[in-house]
Amino acid sequence: MNTASTPQGLCAACVQAAAAAPPPPADGRIKTGGAPAWLRSPVRLGWAVVALLGLVVAADLYSLWAGTVMLDVMNDLIAGEFGADIERRAERADTLYAYSGGPQLVALVATCVVFLVWFHRVRVNAEVFEPYIHRKKRGWTVWGWFVPVVNFWFPRRIAVDIWDASAARPAGSDPTVPLDPSVERGPHPLVNAWWTLWVASLFADRWAAKSYARAEEADEIRSAVGNMMFSDALHIAAAALAVVFVLRLTRMQDRKARSGPPVPQPVPGPVAAP
């Protein structure tokens, strides 16, 4: 029995419910259980993050070069070379290596600040695209990086939710129906690779810093510098994947925002009786 009362196949109760539903906010904001969410372009912030990540890579490359200078001197000292020339080279290598830490710290702090601003913005945008799939509250977008223990997985989980909310819908799905947060989602190889390298670089940096602080003899210094160079290499790899992550996610959100609001799928009308 067909109880449709409109050409679109809607029943009278459905029409009344739709008429009683509140209209969307005029300013485009969406209420997600907390602060309102609204779309803002992440493009300029994304490019700023990419530029700063480039500075991080440049500072790490300088540190790698200073490390090779230090290793060259340590190898000569271990081989038994001595004299005024090796002392002068050792002082120069020590100065270069000590100075390499300053640019690394400045570039890292500046990048972290701008990255967090960008990360917060793309999270708010993601709440507009998909309000119901986010497993962590918006405040964790920033604080999740600083709270001990949980900072090893909260940011990655938030990044995955942002990625899924910003991605294009599968073919054939209704864009007006929110994604079900309980449905299993696909793999995230880029996010996982970036996050794995980032966490690995944190552990490597701490291990290398401790070994360098304890080093006293030439062979110990050579080993510690090698550890520091390994940590720098991990930083460079993590920064390179972060660039790819930022560019792709920024492009996804920009494309989704420019495509406009989702268009409801057509509802077939009642089938006339033969």
Side-chain angles (χ1 to χ4, degrees), residues 41-47 50 118 122 163 244-256:
S41 174
V43 174
R44 290 186 179 179
L45 275 174
W47 282 113
V50 169
W118 170 85
V122 294
W163 186 277
V244 179
F245 168 70
V246 170
L247 287 177
R248 286 190 60 181
L249 183 54
T250 300
R251 188 179 302 115
M252 287 162 57
Q253 289 207 343
D254 185 59
R255 184 182 299 118
K256 195 163 190 174

Side-chain angles (χ1 to χ4, degrees), residues 26 42 55 68 86 96 98 105 122 138 146 161 165 169 174 177 192 203 212 216 229 232 258 260 263:
L55 292 180
T68 60
I86 191 66
L96 286 175
L105 179 61
V122 294
R138 190 188 301 176
F146 301 102
D161 291 340
R169 286 292 191 93
D174 187 350
V177 178
N192 291 336
F203 282 105
Y212 191 76
E216 295 181 359
M229 294 176 68
D232 290 337
R258 290 178 183 276
V263 179

Side-chain angles (χ1 to χ4, degrees), residues 206-216 220 223-225 227-228:
R206 187 171 184 178
W207 163 62
K210 286 185 175 181
S211 66
Y212 191 76
R214 292 194 302 260
E216 295 181 359
E220 295 175 340
S223 177
V225 170
N227 295 339
M228 296 287 285

Side-chain angles (χ1 to χ4, degrees), residues 78-162:
I78 293 172
E81 187 174 339
F82 61 92
D85 181 64
I86 191 66
E87 290 181 5
R88 184 169 55 252
R89 289 173 55 206
E91 289 179 2
R92 175 176 176 270
D94 187 62
T95 301
L96 286 175
Y97 206 62
Y99 284 166
S100 68
Q104 284 182 302
L105 179 61
V106 172
L108 181 61
V109 170
T111 303
C112 286
V113 171
V114 181
F115 177 88
L116 288 177
V117 176
W118 170 85
F119 198 57
H120 186 270
R121 179 167 297 185
V122 294
R123 163 56 192 260
V124 175
N125 289 346
E127 291 176 12
V128 176
F129 297 142
E130 297 290 346
Y132 307 112
I133 68 171
H134 302 281
R135 292 167 286 184
K136 298 299 174 186
K137 292 184 178 181
R138 190 188 301 176
W140 286 112
T141 306
V142 174
W143 294 112
W145 295 84
F146 301 102
V147 177
V149 182
V150 301
N151 58 355
F152 289 116
W153 75 86
F154 271 27
R156 182 254 171 205
R157 179 170 291 184
I158 293 169
V160 165
D161 291 340
I162 296 172

